[in-house]
Amino acid sequence: MIDVTSNDPLTLNGQCHCGAVKFTAELPLGLASARRCTCSICRMRGAIAVTSTHDGFKIVEGADKLATYRFNTRTAEHHFCIQCGIYTHHKRRSNPNQLGVNVACLDGLSPFDFHEVVVYDGQRHPGDNPTHTTFTAGTLTFTPAS
Ligand SMILES: [Zn+2]
């Protein structure tokens, strides 16, 4: 099993639920970059995202099957498969040089492999609240049944 707490860089293949969209994601900060977020779209989507970059993310198949959703400042770009609806990745508003990648789409990984995930306070996004400098809301834990 992959060590989800490691910050060693790694590259993983991924795909959406129906398989129409396939990609390769370089994760320069490893799987330890996993986070959730309280903002209006992340709280609804519920996905755990890991950090990639524009250069390190390649759509291998199905670029024409991806749609993009933007709202509010329209800085963030949320991509999803038009066939199965699954969110694959997004350009971050907090750091537009970074992409967030849905860990549930990555080969060999499940969101439930992450037993402790940092939660970002996107609801009080620093971009909307310049005085709000702490971007951490807490930690979510999952304890597997034994
Ligand atoms: Zn799909």
Side-chain angles (χ1 to χ4, degrees):
M1 217 210 329
I2 311 174
D3 179 6
V4 298
T5 64
S6 170
N7 49 25
D8 291 342
L10 85 165
T11 301
L12 291 170
N13 297 322
Q15 59 178 23
C16 65
H17 188 264
C18 73
V21 178
K22 293 190 168 55
F23 60 85
T24 299
E26 220 175 274
L27 313 175
L29 308 170
L31 294 170
S33 63
R35 59 160 95 162
R36 296 190 64 183
C37 169
T38 64
C39 85
S40 60
I41 190 165
C42 290
R43 64 191 288 152
M44 204 172 262
R45 174 163 75 195
I48 298 174
V50 285
T51 299
S52 186
T53 62
H54 294 282
D55 287 345
F57 190 91
K58 305 254 183 308
I59 303 288
V60 177
E61 222 178 285
D64 58 327
K65 295 287 191 301
L66 279 174
T68 303
Y69 176 62
R70 299 178 187 85
F71 64 100
N72 192 18
T73 66
R74 307 180 74 83
T75 309
E77 296 173 358
H78 302 273
H79 306 288
F80 60 96
C81 171
I82 56 171
Q83 238 164 240
C84 65
I86 291 299
Y87 148 69
T88 50
H89 65 294
H90 73 287
K91 181 175 98 176
R92 282 185 173 148
R93 178 186 171 190
S94 58
N95 183 348
N97 299 318
Q98 291 182 344
L99 296 181
V101 180
N102 184 356
V103 299
C105 290
L106 294 171
D107 287 0
L109 271 181
S110 156
F112 301 104
D113 296 336
F114 294 77
H115 297 165
E116 204 175 84
V117 179
V118 172
V119 180
Y120 274 60
D121 197 2
Q123 227 181 15
R124 296 187 294 163
H125 199 285
D128 299 323
N129 306 271
T131 55
H132 184 58
T133 49
T134 312
F135 202 11
T136 305
T139 304
L140 261 178
T141 58
F142 169 67
T143 310
S146 48

